[in-house]
Amino acid sequence: MEQIFALFTIFLAFAFSGRCSDDFSRSDFPEGFLFGAGTSAYQWEGAATEDGRKPSVWDTLCHSRNQDNGDITCDGYHKYKEDVKLMVDTNLDAFRFSISWSRLIPSKFSYLLQEPHPRISNPCKLTTGIEPHVTLYHYDHPQYLEDEYRGWLNRRMIKDFTAYADVCFREFGNHVKFWTTINEANVFSIGGYTDGLTPPGRCSIPGRNCVSGNSSIEQYIVGHNLLLAHASASRIYKQKYKGGFVGLSLYFLGLIPSTSSKDDYIATQRAKSFYTGWMLGSLIYGDYPDTMKRIVGSRLPVFSEEESEQVKGSSDFIGVIHYHATSVTNIKSKPSLSGNPDFYSDMGVSFHYFGKIFDFKYAVAPWAMEVVLEYIKQSYGNPPVYILENGIPMKQDSQLKQKDTPRVEYLHAYIGGVLKSIRSGSDTRGYFVWSFMDLYELIGGYEVGFGLYSVNFSDPHRKRSPRLSAHWYSDFLNGTTAFLGSQGITELQRNLSSSF
Ligand SMILES: *[C@@H]1O[C@H](CO)[C@@H](O)[C@H](O)[C@H]1NC(C)=O
Ligand SMILES: *[C@@H]1O[C@H](CO)[C@@H](O)[C@H](O)[C@H]1NC(C)=O
Ligand SMILES: *[C@@H]1O[C@H](CO)[C@@H](O)[C@H](O)[C@H]1NC(C)=O
Ligand SMILES: *[C@@H]1O[C@H](CO)[C@@H](O)[C@H](O)[C@H]1NC(C)=O
């Protein structure tokens, strides 16, 4: 009898997982679940010097290193009306974009702005029923703040960020309910201050292209100030405005131990603490994880009691950015290139990505999304989650190709993974594809495109064209189709063959 019962359970489990991973439709998601796609200001707007916009640290990094830049990119600044129409065609519930701080407030003296910025306010008022999801800060603080006092390394930034956030809440708050203060705060700190690969490009690791920095301490100082700035903006919102939600976004790797050894298991816990527990622990429990405090010691800033109270509970939702499944191996001695400890030697692990991270072959590993959502649920009390980025890139040579079948397969699999997590209790409330269209990428410039729509960057008009994935997403979102794996994708391709 027991055996039969066990078999029956196994059968049910299969039936259920089969249903979840392949055959599902939009209506399987909870009511009010938001599906969208995203962009960010510097990557999409262009018009870098128009209407008084001043450079951000991102402009400075691109130009000083002589790499691709966002001077024109998709020209979304001028083409937003056309793009809003594409959003409607794609049946998006929500659109994610960011506000350019140095466009809105081009100098220290423009905080008392009387009129809303004419062009920024427009995408906020999407009168189409599409919900705007706005990020205040996406790697692009004004260069004048970096020049004056080194930006996020200085606590003065907390006050300036809060004043900027206040202007945004005041000017656009009637139309915007969802605010993300800071985009992937953890990777901004590591990329900009440990590795120096991303703006503002500071580091002290030998062999890197940095003019100045200190990879032993700066990422921790910046992380601390980001958390305090987020908490301060969130508090202003609660004091002066109402009806919306303020969250912080973090970059998550789907981390699993590379072997069944105890060392790799502990290393994986440590990697989670360093990579995301760093900020999640602060937001949910008001302090850094113990492991981190023990290892980083006096290089890690300390929250005063008052700060801890402010940071704790300051995020109405967690913004999840997720692309990669990663296995973790313990590193026994902790070598660091410079002889000084840095974020990586502190963490003491090596990462092995499934698929390849820099040559654009992302593994389709939706279980990694489930690992992330389960971790947030189990370790941090199941806060509301919006998945703010997920997607795959394609190389330049295939960028203008419209048949992005691997992208459809990836998105389909990951949306299935999200559904599975929701069914096991995760409070995930939205999912955004990165990116709505091809745009200037932080790593990879124009060599890669993540877009549902391709953009012809050789064309002065920056013509947009829907890819297979745009058609697929559109159909999925209006409930026209529930795809049955690759067969359904092939059928869609055939049905649409006249458009390609
Ligand atoms: C970085 O800061 C640490 C701690 O203050 C200090 O010991 C170290 O010498 C600094 N390194 C560099 C490259 O400035
Ligand atoms: C992109 O635009 C350029 C310039 O208008 C044009 O010559 C080229 O054919 C376009 N490429 C594609 C794939 O449409
Ligand atoms: C769904 O979208 C397709 C293609 O965009 C369109 O033809 C169809 O009318 C839409 N159906 C609904 C129910 O909105
Ligand atoms: C393809 O077209 C047929 C006939 O219109 C339709 O029944 C089928 O659902 C379509 N398949 C997909 C995946 O759109």
Side-chain angles (χ1 to χ4, degrees):
M1 182 62 196
E2 250 167 44
Q3 262 170 343
I4 292 174
F5 185 70
L7 267 179
F8 186 63
T9 318
I10 291 168
F11 172 74
L12 265 186
F14 268 113
F16 192 61
S17 67
R19 206 163 72 91
C20 280
S21 59
D22 248 14
D23 179 9
F24 59 86
S25 74
R26 198 235 144 106
S27 60
D28 290 316
F29 284 80
E31 210 179 313
F33 189 93
L34 290 178
F35 278 102
T39 62
S40 88
Y42 186 64
Q43 297 175 272
W44 172 65
E45 282 183 2
T49 56
E50 268 182 64
D51 296 344
R53 181 183 179 278
K54 290 286 186 263
S56 72
V57 291
W58 201 344
D59 299 66
T60 307
L61 183 93
C62 295
H63 285 279
S64 68
R65 293 190 180 171
N66 221 354
Q67 56 195 41
D68 284 346
N69 61 62
D71 285 358
I72 305 174
T73 182
C74 306
D75 197 23
Y77 190 66
H78 296 113
K79 292 173 75 78
Y80 71 89
K81 280 187 184 155
E82 185 186 315
D83 289 344
V84 168
K85 194 176 165 302
L86 297 182
M87 293 167 210
V88 174
D89 290 348
T90 321
N91 293 313
L92 299 188
D93 303 320
F95 178 57
R96 174 177 182 244
F97 61 102
S98 76
I99 293 175
S100 164
W101 187 347
S102 65
R103 188 186 298 287
L104 189 65
I105 302 177
S107 80
K108 282 199 307 180
F109 307 106
S110 39
Y111 280 97
L112 298 172
L113 207 72
Q114 290 309 312
E115 292 295 318
H117 191 286
R119 287 244 177 73
I120 294 176
S121 58
N122 277 318
C124 290
K125 301 183 205 168
L126 300 169
T127 50
T128 48
I130 295 172
E131 188 79 56
H133 243 260
V134 174
T135 300
L136 293 175
Y137 176 71
H138 198 117
Y139 285 81
D140 57 350
H141 63 276
Q143 182 64 38
Y144 60 83
L145 297 180
E146 192 68 17
D147 294 343
E148 192 183 330
Y149 58 72
R150 290 195 179 170
W152 290 111
L153 284 166
N154 193 315
R155 290 175 76 101
R156 285 169 66 184
M157 195 69 165
I158 299 164
K159 214 171 139 218
D160 278 331
F161 180 75
T162 308
Y164 161 60
D166 196 9
V167 172
C168 295
F169 296 150
R170 189 185 74 211
E171 296 303 335
F172 314 124
N174 287 343
H175 305 283
V176 178
K177 282 204 318 225
F178 293 96
W179 299 96
T180 300
T181 51
I182 292 154
N183 181 64
E184 48 193 34
N186 53 343
V187 158
F188 170 75
S189 309
I190 303 165
Y193 298 85
T194 307
D195 287 325
L197 282 172
T198 59
R202 295 177 61 86
C203 68
S204 62
I205 296 179
R208 292 286 165 83
N209 196 5
C210 299
V211 176
S212 51
N214 185 336
S215 303
S216 279
I217 50 168
E218 289 190 355
Q219 65 281 345
Y220 300 122
I221 297 170
V222 166
H224 197 73
N225 290 339
L226 289 171
L227 285 163
L228 293 173
H230 156 82
S232 167
S234 168
R235 191 161 64 154
I236 283 276
Y237 188 84
K238 261 140 218 153
Q239 283 168 352
K240 296 175 61 174
Y241 310 94
K242 277 177 187 57
F245 307 92
V246 181
L248 181 84
S249 111
L250 297 174
Y251 185 94
F252 289 82
L253 296 165
L255 299 171
I256 53 159
S258 63
T259 70
S260 57
S261 76
K262 193 166 172 231
D263 280 353
D264 288 339
Y265 173 79
I266 294 169
T268 305
Q269 301 303 104
R270 192 167 66 242
K272 287 179 178 176
S273 293
F274 267 84
Y275 216 75
T276 46
W278 179 14
M279 310 235 160
L280 275 178
S282 308
L283 294 174
I284 309 286
Y285 304 119
D287 201 3
Y288 296 120
D290 287 339
T291 322
M292 211 176 165
K293 291 201 283 193
R294 184 169 48 76
I295 294 172
V296 185
S298 63
R299 288 175 292 123
L300 190 66
V302 176
F303 289 112
S304 72
E305 219 164 284
E306 194 193 337
E307 288 168 351
S308 165
E309 278 308 307
Q310 253 193 55
V311 172
K312 186 175 166 178
S314 60
S315 222
D316 297 323
F317 62 87
I318 303 301
V320 167
I321 295 185
H322 173 68
Y323 297 93
H324 294 288
T326 312
S327 71
V328 180
T329 306
N330 183 47
I331 294 181
K332 289 219 160 63
S333 60
K334 296 178 193 162
S336 78
L337 287 171
S338 59
N340 291 317
D342 59 48
F343 182 82
Y344 297 109
S345 64
D346 287 341
M347 188 160 59
V349 305
S350 69
F351 284 155
H352 174 82
Y353 296 100
F354 291 73
K356 290 188 179 147
I357 190 162
F358 285 131
D359 85 350
F360 323 126
K361 292 194 181 91
Y362 287 21
V364 182
W367 54 264
M369 177 71 91
E370 294 172 49
V371 164
V372 168
L373 296 176
E374 187 65 17
Y375 164 66
I376 296 173
K377 184 182 86 182
Q378 294 285 357
S379 304
Y380 296 99
N382 205 15
V385 165
Y386 287 88
I387 294 155
L388 295 179
E389 289 184 23
N390 178 236
I392 54 164
M394 289 171 69
K395 281 189 199 178
Q396 168 76 7
D397 55 10
S398 54
Q399 214 183 96
L400 288 172
K401 283 194 192 139
Q402 307 304 310
K403 284 189 192 176
D404 56 346
T405 311
R407 178 170 292 121
V408 175
E409 285 165 356
Y410 182 99
L411 296 177
H412 178 264
Y414 277 75
I415 292 172
V418 172
L419 180 59
K420 254 171 123 174
S421 297
I422 292 172
R423 283 178 169 162
S424 41
S426 162
D427 190 6
T428 300
R429 301 181 180 186
Y431 173 91
F432 291 74
V433 175
W434 183 266
S435 49
F436 183 52
M437 63 184 63
D438 289 347
L439 31 72
Y440 164 69
E441 280 295 336
L442 179 59
I443 310 259
Y446 296 103
E447 277 175 40
V448 293
F450 284 74
L452 298 171
Y453 289 79
S454 66
V455 175
N456 183 349
F457 292 105
S458 319
D459 178 353
H461 301 293
R462 299 295 194 272
K463 187 174 185 310
R464 287 93 160 104
S465 313
R467 292 206 171 99
L468 182 67
S469 56
H471 291 291
W472 173 78
Y473 202 40
S474 166
D475 284 359
F476 171 71
L477 293 186
N478 80 358
T480 313
T481 20
F483 288 112
L484 297 162
S486 51
Q487 216 179 347
I489 294 165
T490 313
E491 196 181 299
L492 176 71
Q493 219 168 59
R494 211 172 32 239
N495 282 6
L496 293 167
S497 61
S498 57
S499 357
F500 297 114

